[in-house]
Amino acid sequence: FASFTFPSGAYRIAALPSPNPGALGPARAGSFRTDVSYSDFYMSVDIVSWDFSLDQAIGLRERAHAMYAAEGDELGAARMAITLSWDYEGRGSFAVSSGWLANAERVLANLPEAREHGRLVLTHGLTAMLAEGDYEKAEALFENASEIARRVGDRDVQILALSGIGRMRIHVGRVEEGLALLDEATAAAVAGGA
């Protein structure tokens, strides 16, 4: 089931689950209105892709990026570029992933500090730890991401950075310390704190 609702309640699209996903594929709902700005809506989806299609999720994010860019919403465009970088890295398309990350860096370079800056630094920390094996660099980047997140009030990045530091410490053999940090990050995520 998917629904799209504008805050005014004036426009709503809903799609029920497919009656026969095997034969008919997943349910689809969609609309295109030229007289509505799609920057002000709420979207909820139980599961985006019943067919486990990363292509479908990437396609939605690429369209969102294009929409944010066209509307002049630089933070929204950067946020989608970072997410697309993660998507493409997860599928092993490292050059495309790097391109999306470079796009986010360029867009964020002249903007005031925001949540997206923390997510960008967090992404560099993950790259330093997992792809480069540079644990000192990773720890410094995770600490920086955590500080940015604290300043801008992004508890998700604070928790992810704490988790990254924990994982990094486990990688370098400081297992008890790393596990304690992972436990702290898990508790913060479950309890809603940071």
Side-chain angles (χ1 to χ4, degrees):
F1 178 79
S3 68
F4 305 80
T5 305
F6 287 82
S8 67
Y11 189 63
R12 178 177 172 85
I13 303 170
L16 297 174
S18 175
N20 187 345
L24 303 174
R28 304 248 191 268
S31 177
F32 181 74
R33 293 185 52 185
T34 58
D35 62 330
V36 175
S37 171
Y38 287 95
S39 64
D40 187 23
F41 71 96
Y42 173 78
M43 177 176 160
S44 65
V45 179
D46 288 336
I47 296 180
V48 171
S49 53
W50 286 96
D51 60 0
F52 302 102
S53 171
L54 182 57
D55 289 337
Q56 182 182 14
I58 287 173
L60 289 170
R61 289 184 178 124
E62 287 175 339
R63 286 193 296 278
H65 176 272
M67 177 203 69
Y68 285 129
E71 293 285 326
D73 182 347
E74 293 177 301
L75 289 175
R79 185 172 46 258
M80 283 299 105
I82 293 166
T83 304
L84 284 159
S85 173
W86 291 4
D87 288 342
Y88 279 105
E89 183 177 21
R91 81 168 359 169
S93 299
F94 300 112
V96 178
S97 173
S98 293
W100 279 112
L101 200 57
N103 176 277
E105 288 173 336
R106 180 184 50 75
V107 170
L108 291 172
N110 297 314
L111 295 179
E113 189 173 75
R115 293 172 186 256
E116 291 75 12
H117 290 88
R119 292 179 187 275
L120 179 65
V121 173
L122 176 73
T123 302
H124 285 301
L126 290 167
T127 300
M129 179 176 68
L130 300 173
E132 300 167 6
D134 188 338
Y135 302 117
E136 275 185 40
K137 179 180 175 183
E139 184 167 14
L141 288 164
F142 288 138
E143 293 286 351
N144 187 17
S146 182
E147 283 300 311
I148 293 169
R150 184 188 53 73
R151 287 192 298 270
V152 299
D154 189 341
R155 65 178 284 282
D156 291 340
V157 168
Q158 282 183 286
I159 291 168
L160 288 168
L162 185 62
S163 174
I165 294 168
R167 290 176 62 190
M168 185 274 311
R169 299 237 170 111
I170 291 169
H171 275 286
V172 298
R174 295 160 58 187
V175 176
E176 286 185 35
E177 188 179 340
L179 289 174
L181 290 171
L182 289 176
D183 289 345
E184 183 182 344
T186 300
V190 171

